[in-house]
Amino acid sequence: MTNQYPKDLVPYFFGQTASTYDKIVLFTTFGKDNYWKNEIINKIKSPESILDLACGTGILTRKLAKKFPKSEIIGIDISQDYLKMAEKNSSTFSNISFLHQDAENLNLDLKFDCICSSYIPKYCNPEKLVKNCITHLNYNGQIILHDFSYPKNKIIKKLWNSYFVFLNSLGIFLPTWKYAFAELPKVIRSSNWVFSYKQELEKNDFQVKVQYLTWNSSVILYAEKPQSTK
Ligand SMILES: C[S@@+](CC[C@H](N)C(=O)[O-])C[C@H]1O[C@@H](n2cnc3c(N)ncnc32)[C@H](O)[C@@H]1O
């Protein structure tokens, strides 16, 4: 993976994994994915419209639709396979729609009360993503970004590294996930997404809050769009 821009890995990670994603994310995070997504949702204040950036198979999108049944919810993703799965799994919801878009070149001609996202920051350019979020966000609208992070504590770091060695071996039995299990820890270790997104948002006058979860293995960064921003 050396010297690769994380976005280049997206087709390899998500090319053939849509049908098994929901089970894998729950199993590999020991169910914490559910808790982390609930923490995202707990931060949202009665929105009329929500954008789920990089919605994948729509796990977070459906949770949002359940929690805010009167809100209009749009999920966007760069992977057609993941979007197909999201549409299939969300057919009973009348307040969700899905669109094929690249978050780094987002162009929806719409503004939202909340833009949230789980597991996209590390793959994207912070400057581009923040700029696009600002363009698509109403004043006082919320931006909530969640992703993995590399723990700081020495003991937790050792456990985290050993866990990914284990996942790497598990890849033998899950060939479509083998590459992601091998490369994901490198992406997480080398990413400083929390710092760079916080800095980018602060440049645009957002007051950013940061929540560290599960021994710092996961982080939520959140802020509201100030009236002063373009
Ligand atoms: C780990 S999955 C997360 C899916 C979902 N957010 C969740 O939490 O279950 C990452 C998703 O990000 C999407 N993705 C990565 N880069 C993207 C981009 N630039 N624009 C839109 N989607 C992107 C991938 O296609 C994939 O569906």
Side-chain angles (χ1 to χ4, degrees), residues 73-87:
I73 296 152
I74 296 184
I76 70 103
D77 203 279
I78 203 168
S79 157
Q80 296 278 20
D81 277 1
Y82 271 72
L83 281 174
K84 266 188 214 148
M85 197 55 68
E87 271 164 6

Side-chain angles (χ1 to χ4, degrees), residues 37 43 80 89 98 100 136 154 160 162 212 216 219:
K37 285 182 168 57
K43 298 184 174 34
Q80 296 278 20
N89 294 343
F98 293 103
H100 183 230
H136 289 83
K154 269 189 193 167
W160 189 98
S162 310
Y212 291 90
N216 288 6
V219 178

Side-chain angles (χ1 to χ4, degrees), residues 10 14 21 37 54-56 77-79 82 101-103 118-119 124:
V10 168
F14 304 110
Y21 176 80
K37 285 182 168 57
C55 60
D77 203 279
I78 203 168
S79 157
Y82 271 72
Q101 288 258 328
D102 175 352
S118 193
Y119 306 123
C124 287

